[in-house]
Amino acid sequence: MNSITIKEFYQDILGDSCPDIHQFLNDNLHKDVGHFNVFDIAEIARTCTAKTGMPYNRRTYYKISLINGKNRVEYADKTIEIDDCAVLFASPKIPYNYTHLTTEQSGHFCVFTKDFLPASKTGPELDLLPAFSPHSDFIYHISTEQFQQFEAVFLKMHNEIQSDYLYKYDLLRNYLMELIHFGQKLQPVMPAGNSKTAASRTTTLFIELLERQFPIENTSQILQLRTPADFAGILGVHVNHLNRVLKETTGKTTGEIIGSRIFQEGKMLLTQTQWNISEIAFTLGFEEVAHFSNFFKKYSQQSPQNFRELTAV
């Protein structure tokens, strides 16, 4: 699961065939537009070779999308079909897959970084706001009237970002907070038959984050999330809480689940690649080969080299 930056987002969603995209990136990425920007979905579809969706990735930015069209959103254990109007609040905490089901799409979206809305502007930390909490569903069904209310704010954003007003980004922050508060008043779209507890939800998100890092496909791909603290930070919970939840739902601790999965990947790389032991250790996040060797012996009672030789026979 790769991390996608704002610059990569522009290149990915707009595409190289979008008019003047390279000039746009060169001119604007070091300005405030690199922290905030707003787009018209229909305009992108008309002028750019945009993708039909967004694949699973861990994004480094936040995104609010006002959608009118048929789409599918997959995240954690959920698949939600959107038939008409909806609004989506995406954060770096939750990887998701977004797919257009038809070419007829309209609406707007804005992207921004955490620095654009510091706690001094939002009150609570941005990740603590209900709209961006990893424990709440982030897709909201809305009526045509509500769509028009959201769109009115987006239109103000479009007008303001093109203006020469000296304090326009302060005004855009206010519009952004207006969208967030609108969203937090709405009821989330709930998948049919969903009765999972908060503990089960956290477990599902944890497993999703863990599994999206695999398989390791080349020696430049390095495991990013390796410790309980890494996962707790992404999920926005205390490491002890995460451990307690996983123990309750799986019978294993956070460290045991992570270690077991890394061990399984290590075995696969030893048997199915020609990479040397040092390369395998590096891709799995071990700074020293000796650390990987000790780790592997803990699970298999043999060294990585001995395991490879025995399985090759």
Side-chain angles (χ1 to χ4, degrees), residues 219-233:
T219 55
S220 63
Q221 181 183 348
I222 303 171
L223 207 63
Q224 298 296 315
L225 302 177
R226 295 187 66 253
T227 70
D230 291 336
F231 286 90

Side-chain angles (χ1 to χ4, degrees), residues 150-161:
F150 273 98
E151 186 171 46
V153 180
F154 272 105
L155 292 176
K156 288 190 290 186
M157 286 179 165
H158 284 293
N159 290 332
E160 198 57 50
I161 203 167

Side-chain angles (χ1 to χ4, degrees), residues 98-140:
Y98 181 83
T99 306
H100 298 318
L101 300 181
T102 66
T103 56
E104 296 180 3
Q105 302 285 333
S106 62
H108 311 266
F109 66 88
C110 60
V111 291
F112 57 98
T113 60
K114 193 171 186 176
D115 290 341
F116 188 75
L117 271 185
S120 59
K121 301 292 183 181
T122 62
E125 186 80 12
L126 186 58
D127 291 330
L128 297 180
L129 292 173
F132 295 112
S133 169
H135 303 291
S136 64
D137 293 294
F138 66 151
I139 305 167
Y140 300 83

Side-chain angles (χ1 to χ4, degrees), residues 34-85:
H35 300 279
F36 174 89
N37 209 348
V38 60
F39 299 87
D40 184 299
I41 293 174
E43 181 66 14
I44 287 179
R46 186 181 67 81
T47 60
C48 307
T49 308
K51 289 191 174 183
T52 57
M54 294 290 287
Y56 277 105
N57 282 299
R58 188 171 66 251
R59 298 163 175 83
T60 61
Y61 55 87
Y62 296 77
K63 182 182 179 187
I64 301 177
S65 301
L66 180 64
I67 304 161
N68 187 7
K70 292 184 180 295
N71 299 275
R72 179 186 298 117
V73 180
E74 300 166 274
Y75 67 105
D77 60 336
K78 297 177 172 61
T79 298
I80 294 181
E81 304 282 347
I82 302 172
D83 292 328
D84 40 35
C85 301

Side-chain angles (χ1 to χ4, degrees), residues 151-204:
E151 186 171 46
V153 180
F154 272 105
L155 292 176
K156 288 190 290 186
M157 286 179 165
H158 284 293
N159 290 332
E160 198 57 50
I161 203 167
Q162 299 298 327
S163 77
D164 295 325
Y165 180 47
L166 182 61
Y167 304 105
K168 68 178 180 181
Y169 285 101
D170 289 328
L171 190 52
L172 285 165
R173 289 185 185 93
N174 291 334
Y175 293 153
L176 192 52
M177 285 305 301
E178 190 173 356
L179 289 179
I180 291 171
H181 286 299
F182 273 177
Q184 290 177 167
K185 293 179 180 180
L186 302 172
Q187 294 296 317
V189 175
M190 298 300 292
N194 180 58
S195 59
K196 295 203 170 187
T197 63
S200 180
R201 169 105 167 108
T202 298
T203 301
T204 301

